[in-house]
């Protein structure tokens, strides 16, 4: 007789593997470094599975991932990332969020440190894919690491934006699943890189009509 794994247990096991695979991919491609960055998945019962504090995304252990409730209160596994409250805020605010990616990716962080950028829409519409996967990207004012006031600031924007950029910190992006969240984060990072490369050069961003047409077809 074959052993039948309960659906919740199977879902949890698959989520553990997906987080570890994604973390290794992110780390191996240089999108994060050291113990920076964190990932989470929302399970069908509204529990959250997320990366632990102080662990490299390139060396995640499926059995050690942190399981919390929707408010990021610890249930089992290692202690969750110190930025668990940011993940919880994104899920609380966005019913469509199935996963959240937060990185300290170099080019996105560089843009977040720039003076006189547009706080309501940080990056110009350089490509159609940026508009399709990210849309408008607001900047959240700087708060020290771990400051719970940051969650309130993110909450004000997350209802209308699935991606926000934290000043002097990095992006936090929600998606329907971990692939969608990661693809949007990667698109954001590549657009930030293009934006920095094009500083001082004449550029031709998409027009307002072109952006509106894309947003109508691909709402973020």
């Amino acid at each position: 007789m074959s052993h039948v794994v309960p659906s919740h247990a199977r879902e949890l096991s698959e989520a553990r593997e997906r987080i570890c695979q994604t973390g290794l991919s992110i780390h191996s491609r240089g999108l994060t470094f050291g113990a920076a960055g964190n990932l989470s998945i929302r399970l069908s019962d509204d529990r959250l599975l997320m990366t632990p504090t102080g662990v490299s995304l390139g060396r995640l252990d499926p059995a050690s991932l942190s399981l919390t409730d929707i408010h990021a209160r610890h249930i089992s596994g290692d202690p969750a990332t110190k930025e668990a409250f940011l993940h919880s805020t994104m899920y609380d605010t966005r019913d469509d969020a199935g996963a959240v990616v937060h990185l300290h990716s170099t080019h996105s962080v560089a843009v977040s440190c720039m003076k006189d950028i547009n706080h309501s829409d940080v990056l110009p519409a350089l490509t159609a894919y940026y508009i399709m996967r990210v849309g408008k990207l607001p900047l959240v004012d700087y708060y020290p690491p771990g400051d719970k006031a940051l969650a309130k600031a993110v909450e004000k924007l997350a209802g209308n934006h699935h991606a926000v950029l934290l000043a002097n910190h990095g992006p936090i992006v929600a998606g329907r699943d971990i692939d969608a969240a990661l693809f949007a984060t990667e698109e954001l990072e590549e657009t930030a890189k293009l934006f920095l490369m094009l500083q001082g050069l004449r550029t031709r961003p998409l027009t307002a009509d072109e952006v509106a047409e894309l947003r109508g077809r691909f709402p973020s």
Side-chain angles (χ1 to χ4, degrees), residues 10 16-17 21 49 74 83-84 107 109 112 121 133 137 140 150 161 163 176 208 219:
R10 182 170 60 248
R16 291 184 187 280
E17 292 300 326
Q21 291 166 359
L49 184 68
H74 185 261
E83 295 175 314
H107 299 93
V109 174
S112 83
D121 196 6
R133 290 189 172 140
L137 179 71
V140 179
L150 177 57
H161 306 278
R176 66 181 179 277

Side-chain angles (χ1 to χ4, degrees), residues 109-124 130 134-143 153-154 156-158 160-161 163-170 188 195 215:
V109 174
V111 171
S112 83
C113 297
M114 293 178 72
K115 189 176 181 180
D116 300 327
I117 54 176
N118 182 355
H119 281 218
S120 65
D121 196 6
V122 176
L123 292 170
Y130 174 74
V134 179
K136 292 184 70 173
L137 179 71
L139 184 75
V140 179
D141 289 339
Y142 172 76
Y143 291 86
V154 169
K156 292 177 181 178
L157 297 169
N160 295 318
H161 306 278
V164 299
L165 186 61
L166 312 180
N168 306 84
H169 190 159
L188 194 165
F195 176 67
R215 285 177 175 158

